[in-house]
Amino acid sequence: MCDSLEERSGVDLTPQALCGRMNSDGAVQFMEAALTKTLRETVGPPLTAQETAWLAPFPRVLLQDSSQIEVNEALTEAFQGSGGNASTASVKIDFSYDVKNERAEHIAIRQGTDSDQGFATDVLARVRKGDLIIRDLGYFSLAAFAQIMLIGAYFLSRLSYTVNLYKSADEAASPINLIQYINRFGGGQQTMEFSLFVGEKHRLPIRLGTSTK
């Protein structure tokens, strides 16, 4: 790498100096800036071409997801993988991107065996009033949703089949059969929205959107 730097840019560094720079705070800031620039150039144009008026009420729109990659098995102790036909070492990159302001919001490096749901509440340390948090089903957590609502922020998530839905917050209310409820009150429309409560214990007020498309 030192030889390549000298050949391409005329930068003369020893391996020790390069290692020091790669492990510095400046390297972290550089990677964050590079990632932000890359996402702005790749995500920005498609977003600009779409109708984005719905983003206006939110100061930030945080889109969070994770990606997993296998690494050399020599790193198993630090980054455990699933093994089997895969490597015994893997890294999970958990990333949050502020779509509205086009900037990296948070990045974390975890073990490949760590579940997304186990880190569903991490965002609570960073979320602000009025934010919209968009995450997939892997991060589904009623406890996290309840805290997001207490902060005065919002969330958008697919619905887990493991939770119950109710017509009211009354503890005596029985869970509904969602399919039957849609057929009865949906009016046969392709896109429908219902005001319901989710979770046997939490009874969180939600707007549930469904589509027959």
Side-chain angles (χ1 to χ4, degrees):
M1 293 179 69
C2 290
D3 292 341
S4 179
L5 280 171
E6 184 174 9
E7 180 182 346
R8 296 184 180 186
S9 307
V11 178
D12 186 13
L13 286 177
T14 64
Q16 293 79 9
L18 179 60
C19 183
R21 294 194 182 193
M22 293 175 69
N23 288 281
S24 68
D25 292 338
V28 176
Q29 295 167 7
F30 171 78
M31 289 299 295
E32 181 178 346
L35 183 57
T36 297
K37 179 176 175 62
T38 300
L39 287 170
R40 183 179 294 122
E41 293 181 354
T42 55
V43 177
L47 188 63
T48 302
Q50 297 178 20
E51 175 58 52
T52 56
W54 65 275
L55 297 177
F58 311 106
R60 299 190 304 170
V61 178
L62 307 183
L63 181 64
Q64 184 178 10
D65 202 357
S66 67
S67 182
Q68 186 170 335
I69 57 174
E70 295 183 15
V71 293
N72 192 288
E73 295 190 352
L75 298 173
T76 300
E77 185 175 346
F79 299 105
Q80 292 186 5
S82 57
N85 293 327
S87 173
T88 57
S90 65
V91 171
K92 178 171 286 188
I93 303 172
D94 187 87
F95 184 63
S96 176
Y97 182 68
D98 182 357
V99 177
K100 183 170 182 179
N101 299 292
E102 298 183 325
R103 64 181 300 273
E105 188 272 330
H106 181 73
I107 187 169
I109 309 299
R110 312 189 190 280
Q111 294 188 116
T113 53
D114 291 340
S115 69
D116 291 341
Q117 191 175 53
F119 298 96
T121 58
D122 281 17
V123 73
L124 299 176
R126 310 186 307 274
V127 68
R128 306 170 191 166
K129 183 177 180 179
D131 285 349
L132 172 62
I133 316 299
I134 303 176
R135 305 193 288 191
D136 66 17
L137 199 55
Y139 293 89
F140 192 95
S141 166
L142 292 178
F145 294 154
Q147 291 299 313
I148 289 173
M149 294 173 70
L150 284 176
I151 293 170
Y154 306 88
F155 62 87
L156 181 62
S157 170
R158 292 173 59 194
L159 179 67
S160 172
Y161 71 90
T162 63
V163 298
N164 290 326
L165 293 168
Y166 302 83
K167 289 189 292 184
S168 75
D170 187 345
E171 292 185 0
S174 299
I176 65 171
N177 182 304
L178 183 57
I179 301 301
Q180 293 179 2
Y181 191 84
I182 291 173
N183 291 337
R184 182 176 179 182
F185 299 103
Q189 302 178 51
Q190 287 188 328
T191 302
M192 294 159 277
E193 183 178 300
F194 304 95
S195 294
L196 296 169
F197 295 83
V198 63
E200 182 178 0
K201 296 180 179 179
H202 293 82
R203 301 294 173 99
L204 301 178
I206 62 166
R207 288 185 355 213
L208 176 67
T210 65
S211 175
T212 57
K213 295 181 179 179

